[in-house]
Amino acid sequence: MTRRIPEVVLAAAFAAVLLAAPARADENDYPTDARADYVFGCMAANGQTRAALEKCSCSLDALASILPYDKYVQASTILSMRQGIGQRTTAFKSTKMFDDKVADLRRAQAEAEIRCYRGAS
């Protein structure tokens, strides 16, 4: 017989980790591999052109200037956990704190899009 960790305990443990993570406003705190992943994914969605490379790089730089890397990782993790099905994903889909973290990422992405794709500086 295997013991299962209740979803509420799992969500509480994840929340504790998220709250304990320090927030930094240094736009250079995004590691190179994370930057490359972002740009490759962006280019896959927007075309494999030099113009797409420039816009995707600009978008990441803008995002990094708004959202510290640890908060980016937290929001990305929450979004990944929400992709699943079943009871384990429910806590990630229905917790206000997680919604707020994802909203911060969405706002930063929107600002980056305005700066880089719509010509605003």
Side-chain angles (χ1 to χ4, degrees):
M1 180 166 128
T2 60
R3 289 185 59 152
R4 292 183 50 200
I5 299 173
E7 284 75 25
V8 174
V9 173
L10 181 65
F14 186 72
V17 169
L18 291 177
L19 291 173
R24 295 182 308 194
D26 180 11
E27 67 184 75
N28 292 320
D29 69 343
Y30 281 55
T32 303
D33 61 333
R35 288 179 173 273
D37 278 344
Y38 183 95
V39 172
F40 287 147
C42 178
M43 289 182 67
N46 293 290
Q48 304 290 335
T49 65
R50 178 70 187 178
L53 172 64
E54 290 171 5
K55 288 181 179 181
C56 291
S57 297
C58 172
S59 177
L60 177 61
D61 289 342
L63 179 68
S65 73
I66 299 165
L67 194 67
Y69 180 67
D70 59 327
K71 291 188 180 210
Y72 171 80
V73 169
Q74 292 167 7
S76 296
T77 301
I78 293 164
L79 288 171
S80 292
M81 295 302 293
R82 288 180 173 181
Q83 294 299 314
I85 56 173
Q87 292 179 348
R88 292 184 183 188
T89 63
T90 302
F92 293 97
K93 292 178 180 176
S94 62
T95 303
K96 170 106 172 77
M97 180 185 65
F98 295 158
D99 291 344
D100 293 344
K101 291 187 179 298
V102 170
D104 289 343
L105 174 60
R106 297 287 190 228
R107 280 190 289 276
Q109 288 173 325
E111 177 63 25
E113 181 177 330
I114 289 168
R115 289 183 192 179
C116 301
Y117 288 90
R118 298 190 181 160
S121 296

